Amino acid sequence: MATVLVVDGANVVGARPDGWWKDRAGAARRLHEALLVADLPHDHIVLVLEGQAKGGVRPGRDAHVLTVHAPKDGDAAIVEAVRQAVAKGDRVTLVTADRMLQARCGGATALGPTWLLDQI
């Protein structure tokens, strides 16, 4: 059983008022870079990006971080990433402050963006 961290990129980036709205792609790139070098207790990280943020990181795998570009809304892609990991028997942690999204992601433990930002 692997441990998987699914990250709601928009929610995490939006948790800090650091000007991310001026450069969504750059904010996504900085989050991705931080996840690549972070010492997190997870075997795999899935970073879900949507909208303009997708311009900052190409989709695909970089080391232990898989970047997913949501085709429409990020929530649907996050639910699917959690569903796939849970179906494989992985232990899943979801990082988002969105309570409705947390409720849709049965089988995942939910942590807020502040937890992740404190780790990276």
Side-chain angles (χ1 to χ4, degrees):
M1 173 181 7
T3 56
V4 179
L5 185 70
V6 178
V7 178
D8 180 346
N11 199 265
V12 172
V13 166
R16 282 195 182 152
D18 62 0
W20 60 266
W21 53 89
K22 297 176 189 171
D23 181 12
R24 293 172 195 264
R29 185 174 47 258
R30 288 188 297 278
L31 175 58
H32 179 262
E33 290 169 354
L35 290 171
L36 282 172
V37 299
D39 185 19
L40 296 169
H42 299 86
D43 299 314
H44 306 286
I45 298 171
V46 179
L47 172 61
V48 178
L49 300 175
E50 61 184 301
Q52 294 175 357
K54 295 188 294 188
V57 184
R58 65 175 176 74
R61 184 169 301 284
D62 289 312
H64 62 289
V65 178
L66 173 64
T67 301
V68 174
H69 283 184
K72 293 183 182 175
D73 69 295
D75 288 3
I78 291 165
V79 170
E80 181 60 18
V82 169
R83 188 199 65 73
Q84 287 179 8
V86 168
K88 288 186 344 188
D90 294 337
R91 231 178 24 201
V92 182
T93 301
L94 169 64
V95 178
T96 187
D98 184 332
R99 297 222 185 267
M100 291 190 67
L101 179 57
Q102 291 173 8
R104 291 176 59 195
C105 291
T109 301
L111 295 172
T114 303
W115 172 83
L116 181 60
L117 292 169
D118 288 345
Q119 305 299 309
I120 59 176

